[in-house]
Amino acid sequence: MRDGAPQTIYRKDYQVPDFLVDDVHLSFDIHPGQTRVKSRLQLRRQGAADAALKLDGIGLELESLAIDGEPLTDDAFQVVDEQLIVFKVPDTFELSVEVVIQPEANTSLEGLYKSRTMYCTQCEAEGFRKITYFPDRPDVLAVYTVEVIADQQQCPVLLSNGNLLETKTLADGRHRAVWHDPYPKPSYLFALVAGDLALVEDSYTTVSGREVALRIWVEEKDRHYCDHAMASLKHSMRWDEEVYGLEYDLDLFNIVAVDDFNMGAMENKSLNIFNTSCVLAAPDITTDMGYQRVEAIVAHEYFHNYSGNRVTCRDWFQLSLKEGFTVFRDAEFSADMNSRGVKRVEDVTFLRTHQFAEDAGPMAHPVRPDSFIEISNFYTLTVYEKGAEVVRMLHTLLGADAFHQGATLYFSRHDGQAATCDDFVTAMEDASGRDLTQFRRWYEQAGTPRITVSGKYDSEQQRYSLSIHQENPDSAGQTNKPPLLIPIAVGLIVDGQPLPLSEDNSTQVLELTEREQTFTFDNVPAEPVPSLLRGFSAPVRVMNEPGETELLTLMRGDDDDFVRWDSAQTLLAQLIESEAASIDEDLLDACRAVLNSPDMDAAMKAHTLRLPSEDYLADRAALKGLVDVHRIHHARNRVKAMLAAALAPEWKAAFDDNVVNGPYQPKGAQIGQRALRHLALDYLCSGDAEAVSLASKLYFDADNLTDRLSGARLVVNLGTQAERETLLAHFHDQWSSQNLVMNQWLSLQATRPAEDCVEAVRVLREHPVFDWRNPNKLRSLIGAFAAGNTIAFHRADGAGYALLAETVAHIQADNPQIAARMLSPLTRWRRYAQGQKLMRNELERIANLDNLSRDVFEVVSRSLAEV
Ligand code: TRP
Ligand code: ZN
């Protein structure tokens, strides 16, 4: 165990900073092995007259320290732990600090580090303190001027935030650039890049006619893979003008692609830094899903320019203020760019499968957490995805017009400030005139609310009444939670048709505020089937599922995309859970109707008829008791084989009819056709071993990664060992020069559902393609194995758990953020019968490591804590 338990930080302890920084001058002198960072900070006292100056700093070699030009004597300051304390300082002064750091030795990928050939930074959340001493908290906003000096040959490109003020050639083959960002910003938005980068340039004219230079910087070999990101950026800029009235505020916007990156991308002011996997795109290196991800992430980071940068967070407990809102914004953007119904179904699937599980496990926390040990552990599905659902509920409750007035008020009222989640809700209240006191509980209460519904029809009165009960289950540190305000969008299906509930609207939004409440509908001509939670209007579980007859009615006759899809998925889940020996003819007919529907697009057909994932089934099972993942796996496969056989001619037709003609395009119609064709092939292969040859043909004939991977996955999972090995060798030889494709090659093998996959992954960890220091490689091999391979990960002898634990132990000191994240499949040990001992043992082994990082300490200790 580590020495001295790390400190917990509480939201209730928030205090305004004692000192503010108005202006920052930074100078970086980059030399291999040693980078000198000089800073000049203009500080101003805000707190008590006798308060000492305390600055954050980690791993810095302090060279000099002066106040208003006077060097400080040794007794005037102290360097403790992760702080620099200067005992007595004036009320306003200039602090000069000089430190030396070693980016080359920085494996945490936080602060200034080296990724392959380039120097880059990652400062969110608390990485700036690894660069220099500073009040590294988001409520200290300063104007930055940054000088970068480096070798001209090694680092011809020198970038930082804002505008380029000057460049100069220096002696000894060195050069210098000075950048100035006029917008005050917190330190977490600072960025610097120095390296040998190729430029892809375009421009954008804003709504008011200003021209903005758009620059994407990548390694020379990747210069041809930037078109999609560039187009996505321009679409995002237009969309934010049209939908939120927000125009870009500088003359330059940069994106830099780096290969070693802990997350997807980072919204540093005017200098976004991206994981290569989230920006580069081409048909041979990117799947259809990958294209959509690039579009969404480019948009997400761009939208942060307002929701995050112009208005930032007061403290890290408010993280969802920027992340939840920005995820909502990027989801609406993607819905407008592509298919709204499909986007919603994809997001809900993700939320219900992964966020619900998080909210039911040991890491459960409110959208606005009350405490943390390490903030990096709180970049969670709850803060991002549930946070976005909370914003979406405001949109639903207030209506689009009032919501947008609220957003506009929020942006203007808090421009240039560090705000709170409460400020956001207050702006929504002020714009709409509504009291949102009860709604605020969504930010406070962890756990997924459960609702139970019962309907009663009075044929004499032609009245239907719907009683809804809500329950908010206890979670760590929270019991007896009061009821939430839950918007429940409903429709009524009468005789198979949606009943108009108002002028040309078949949906009504009920506002559930009590624990138990009854809503009545008049003029209902016959007993309806209620269509609940349309569009997934709230992140809740509906506990009492309708029966098969009702679900079939909804699947066939509902006019809400989400409910139609959800009813089909529930029917399929119930079928798997029942372990029935045959499939009802009615359900088969309904599936045929989906396949033959002239109105439903192919992507939606594929989503509707794909079996619920093992993870989703596990989440459902966890409500009833311990989860038996092997049983789920086999029951699901049996239903797949039954559906494959029963609908064999239909799958064959879907496979044959959905051949895409013409060149590859990552666009709606084609994406849908490929998704449906691949699903059909998946069924064909599980019904008939011969069909694997079709998969092999799909792989070998493919002119794009989506087809190639779909074919490959089926051959790897279902083919003979010889077929598998031939294909994998071919794949490797053809794409070994493409790093991102090799990540897929690793995942393909890591997710093969067979027990001996544990040993295969062990071997792959030693393969030259793998790299212990690269987060994408760790995620593609070990992350994919632990999260996407139930059979091997949950092997009865515990070898899968050991493999994960051992990998985490190996990397945890070098890259604590990634280690803590990768640990998450083990933290759910309480859900599984075999988890009680084997998974727990591995967690305890990690808890007992020497020099355990703060990140991993927090995750293991929360997960092992008694409930
Ligand atoms: N703010 C980033 C986003 O848009 C998240 C992020 C990027 C991040 N890199 C990080 C968070 C490193 C913590 C650590 O979502
Ligand atoms: Zn974000």
Side-chain angles (χ1 to χ4, degrees):
M1 182 65 79
R2 91 201 278 297
D3 321 326
Q7 212 192 324
T8 301
I9 299 164
Y10 296 92
R11 180 164 63 85
K12 63 174 168 48
D13 292 344
Y14 174 81
Q15 290 195 329
V16 297
D18 282 336
F19 293 89
L20 295 178
V21 183
D22 294 315
D23 199 73
V24 179
H25 273 254
L26 294 173
S27 170
F28 291 81
D29 194 13
I30 300 175
H31 286 277
Q34 175 161 331
T35 290
R36 189 166 294 269
V37 185
K38 292 186 203 166
S39 72
R40 273 186 289 128
L41 316 179
Q42 307 302 325
L43 287 137
R44 173 160 54 92
R45 185 185 299 274
Q46 178 179 239
D50 59 347
L53 174 69
K54 293 182 180 167
L55 301 176
D56 304 296
I58 298 182
L60 310 171
E61 225 178 286
L62 181 60
E63 298 265 300
S64 74
L65 194 56
I67 284 186
D68 294 327
E70 284 295 311
L72 292 189
T73 53
D74 282 354
D75 57 351
F77 69 91
Q78 197 182 1
V79 177
V80 288
D81 237 357
E82 305 186 337
Q83 274 195 333
L84 166 68
I85 303 172
V86 186
F87 303 119
K88 277 180 74 166
V89 296
D91 289 344
T92 63
F93 58 99
E94 178 182 272
L95 182 78
S96 312
V97 185
E98 195 174 333
V99 300
V100 169
I101 53 177
Q102 277 147 18
E104 292 82 1
N106 180 350
T107 57
S108 68
L109 313 188
E110 248 198 323
L112 178 63
Y113 65 94
K114 206 165 174 201
S115 174
R116 295 160 64 94
T117 60
M118 76 186 91
Y119 292 89
C120 63
T121 54
Q122 171 55 41
C123 293
E124 187 176 6
E126 297 181 333
F128 193 74
R129 62 189 63 186
K130 294 185 165 188
I131 294 174
T132 188
Y133 286 106
F134 200 80
D136 190 13
R137 43 187 289 171
D139 55 355
V140 173
L141 282 76
V143 171
Y144 285 65
T145 306
V146 180
E147 176 187 66
V148 190
I149 300 171
D151 183 83
Q152 173 118 39
Q153 201 120 64
Q154 209 205 340
C155 300
V157 176
L158 305 176
L159 305 172
S160 190
N161 315 86
N163 306 311
L164 181 61
L165 290 190
E166 53 173 292
T167 56
K168 198 172 169 186
T169 305
L170 306 174
D172 303 330
R174 297 180 68 76
H175 71 148
R176 153 184 200 267
V178 181
W179 292 85
H180 175 76
D181 178 2
Y183 291 95
K185 64 168 174 289
S187 50
Y188 83 86
L189 291 172
F190 164 80
L192 176 156
V193 171
D196 188 0
L197 294 160
L199 170 63
V200 175
E201 183 156 27
D202 204 331
S203 78
Y204 175 83
T205 308
T206 69
V207 62
S208 72
R210 256 183 329 100
E211 185 156 312
V212 180
L214 309 179
R215 299 189 181 144
I216 302 184
W217 303 90
V218 295
E219 284 185 42
E220 174 61 37
K221 65 180 172 57
D222 296 329
R223 107 168 25 250
H224 303 295
Y225 306 145
C226 301
D227 294 354
H228 183 63
M230 188 66 89
S232 303
L233 176 58
K234 290 196 256 180
H235 292 148
S236 311
M237 296 176 88
R238 187 65 72 214
W239 189 88
D240 220 11
E241 290 174 350
E242 288 174 354
V243 179
Y244 282 82
L246 298 172
E247 183 178 344
Y248 187 60
D249 55 3
L250 283 164
D251 299 329
L252 172 61
F253 188 86
N254 293 291
I255 287 177
V256 178
V258 309
D259 218 52
D260 302 296
F261 204 69
N262 279 349
M263 306 268 280
M266 179 62 212
E267 70 265 23
N268 317 300
K269 184 78 185 189
S270 76
L271 180 50
N272 286 190
I273 298 182
F274 274 63
N275 188 322
T276 46
S277 72
C278 297
V279 61
L280 304 180
D284 279 330
I285 67 165
T286 313
T287 60
D288 288 338
M289 234 174 32
Y291 271 95
Q292 293 184 320
R293 205 167 57 138
V294 168
E295 180 181 65
I297 296 180
V298 167
H300 179 97
E301 306 311 331
Y302 175 73
F303 296 153
H304 268 316
N305 190 52
Y306 280 90
S307 47
N309 301 4
R310 286 284 288 262
V311 181
T312 192
C313 300
R314 186 191 74 173
D315 56 73
W316 292 119
F317 297 105
Q318 318 296 327
L319 181 58
S320 195
L321 173 68
K322 74 177 178 81
E323 295 304 347
F325 189 19
T326 304
V327 171
F328 172 71
R329 274 151 59 67
D330 83 58
E332 284 297 293
F333 165 77
S334 295
D336 286 345
M337 295 294 121
N338 307 290
S339 156
R340 179 163 287 272
V342 170
K343 172 68 179 162
R344 190 65 187 137
V345 158
E346 288 168 354
D347 287 351
V348 173
T349 302
F350 186 67
L351 181 91
R352 287 206 298 208
T353 308
H354 303 292
Q355 194 279 328
F356 278 20
E358 178 174 280
D359 229 348
M363 292 299 292
H365 55 275
V367 166
R368 183 186 55 207
D370 293 315
S371 69
F372 60 74
I373 289 177
E374 169 54 60
I375 184 56
S376 299
N377 287 330
F378 286 79
Y379 286 74
T380 58
L381 298 169
T382 299
V383 166
Y384 277 67
E385 316 303 325
K386 186 178 181 181
E389 293 300 321
V390 170
V391 175
R392 180 177 297 280
M393 287 190 284
L394 284 171
H395 186 274
T396 304
L397 288 166
L398 306 184
D401 289 346
F403 176 88
H404 283 284
Q405 283 160 21
T408 302
L409 179 62
Y410 166 76
F411 286 124
S412 62
R413 184 183 277 174
H414 298 288
D415 192 15
Q417 296 178 2
T420 62
C421 297
D422 266 325
D423 292 331
F424 182 77
V425 180
T426 301
M428 290 293 163
E429 282 181 322
D430 292 349
S432 66
R434 271 198 68 151
D435 177 351
L436 295 168
T437 309
Q438 187 183 9
F439 185 81
R440 283 179 153 86
R441 290 181 188 152
W442 278 105
Y443 289 93
E444 292 162 16
Q445 295 182 190
T448 305
R450 299 174 178 188
I451 63 173
T452 315
V453 184
S454 68
K456 228 200 259 143
Y457 183 63
D458 180 339
S459 56
E460 221 148 274
Q461 307 279 329
Q462 302 225 323
R463 173 176 289 167
Y464 184 65
S465 49
L466 208 50
S467 296
I468 312 182
H469 173 86
Q470 66 167 302
E471 194 195 322
N472 293 283
D474 291 351
S475 53
Q478 295 189 331
T479 51
N480 295 321
K481 299 173 202 180
L484 295 162
L485 163 52
I486 306 179
I488 301 179
V490 301
L492 299 178
I493 310 301
V494 175
D495 295 329
Q497 298 287 330
L499 186 74
L501 293 180
S502 64
E503 276 167 74
D504 77 24
N505 200 340
S506 59
T507 303
Q508 188 177 327
V509 179
L510 308 177
E511 298 189 6
L512 180 67
T513 56
E514 310 291 325
R515 238 174 262 282
E516 174 96 45
Q517 217 170 330
T518 301
F519 303 87
T520 56
F521 301 83
D522 285 316
N523 303 315
V524 180
E527 169 140 33
V529 175
S531 156
L532 296 170
L533 217 60
R534 294 185 145 206
F536 197 63
S537 60
V540 300
R541 296 179 193 267
V542 180
M543 298 307 285
N544 55 331
E545 270 169 13
E548 183 174 348
T549 321
E550 288 81 13
L551 287 168
L552 282 167
T553 302
L554 295 168
M555 180 178 167
R556 288 206 185 93
D558 204 311
D559 57 344
D560 183 77
D561 285 340
F562 164 77
V563 173
R564 253 196 333 258
W565 164 82
D566 188 41
S567 305
Q569 291 290 298
T570 305
L571 280 164
L572 294 170
Q574 290 177 352
L575 178 63
I576 295 167
E577 288 156 0
S578 72
E579 303 196 6
S582 66
I583 308 178
D584 215 272
E585 216 29 65
D586 288 341
L587 177 54
L588 290 175
D589 275 342
C591 293
R592 284 189 194 100
V594 167
L595 280 170
N596 296 326
S597 164
D599 310 319
M600 200 186 284
D601 58 38
M604 196 56 107
K605 290 181 183 181
H607 280 301
T608 305
L609 299 180
R610 177 172 300 129
L611 293 181
S613 68
E614 291 179 31
D615 283 339
Y616 181 62
L617 294 165
D619 179 69
R620 286 170 61 95
L623 293 174
K624 301 189 194 110
L626 287 176
V627 178
D628 183 342
V629 289
H630 297 282
R631 184 163 181 170
I632 289 173
H633 179 81
H634 295 296
R636 183 177 182 276
N637 276 354
R638 272 195 302 276
V639 167
K640 199 193 236 185
M642 287 196 293
L643 259 186
L647 299 178
E650 284 82 3
W651 296 128
K652 187 73 177 70
F655 181 71
D656 292 338
D657 298 347
N658 284 290
V659 178
V660 171
N661 294 308
Y664 174 86
Q665 280 195 315
K667 293 265 166 60
Q670 274 201 11
I671 291 180
Q673 274 191 300
R674 275 187 290 274
L676 185 53
R677 187 160 197 260
H678 298 160
L679 180 74
L681 182 59
D682 189 30
Y683 277 113
L684 289 172
C685 289
S686 58
D688 170 14
E690 296 286 297
V692 175
S693 64
L694 292 175
S696 177
K697 186 167 159 48
L698 180 66
Y699 169 83
F700 283 104
D701 292 352
D703 69 350
N704 64 82
L705 185 64
T706 310
D707 283 337
R708 193 171 290 130
L709 269 181
S710 279
R713 190 165 294 122
L714 289 167
V715 175
V716 167
N717 291 355
L718 302 169
T720 63
Q721 183 176 350
E723 287 168 330
R724 173 169 90 234
E725 285 170 0
T726 307
L727 186 145
L728 288 169
H730 177 270
F731 193 118
H732 175 272
D733 293 348
Q734 193 145 19
W735 302 105
S736 59
S737 68
Q738 292 289 353
N739 212 359
L740 297 175
V741 182
M742 282 295 101
N743 294 344
Q744 304 279 2
W745 182 77
L746 290 173
S747 294
L748 200 53
Q749 298 175 78
T751 52
R752 179 171 59 90
E755 297 208 334
D756 65 354
C757 194
V758 176
E759 284 71 30
V761 170
R762 273 186 196 286
V763 172
L764 284 166
R765 277 196 317 196
E766 309 306 318
H767 194 282
V769 156
F770 187 70
D771 177 355
W772 287 92
R773 294 257 165 116
N774 178 269
N776 290 350
K777 291 285 184 284
L778 287 162
R779 281 186 280 258
S780 302
L781 186 64
I782 311 300
F785 168 79
N789 194 340
T790 34
I791 289 299
F793 180 61
H794 293 281
R795 206 165 87 173
D797 64 357
Y801 308 141
L803 176 63
L804 177 62
E806 178 191 292
T807 308
V808 167
H810 193 272
I811 62 169
Q812 70 92 23
D814 287 338
N815 191 333
Q817 281 183 10
I818 295 298
R821 244 159 223 283
M822 297 231 318
L823 203 49
S824 105
L826 274 178
T827 62
R828 313 248 162 84
W829 60 275
R830 276 193 182 83
R831 291 216 302 190
Y832 309 102
Q834 66 269 48
Q836 311 297 321
K837 238 186 127 138
L838 294 170
M839 297 173 90
R840 212 198 141 113
N841 284 349
E842 297 300 336
L843 284 169
E844 273 163 1
R845 196 196 309 248
I846 289 174
N848 288 322
L849 289 176
D850 293 333
N851 66 36
L852 193 60
S853 68
R854 181 156 52 199
D855 307 56
V856 174
F857 170 84
E858 181 171 33
V859 174
V860 282
S861 49
R862 278 178 79 119
S863 147
L864 288 171
E866 295 300 327
V867 276

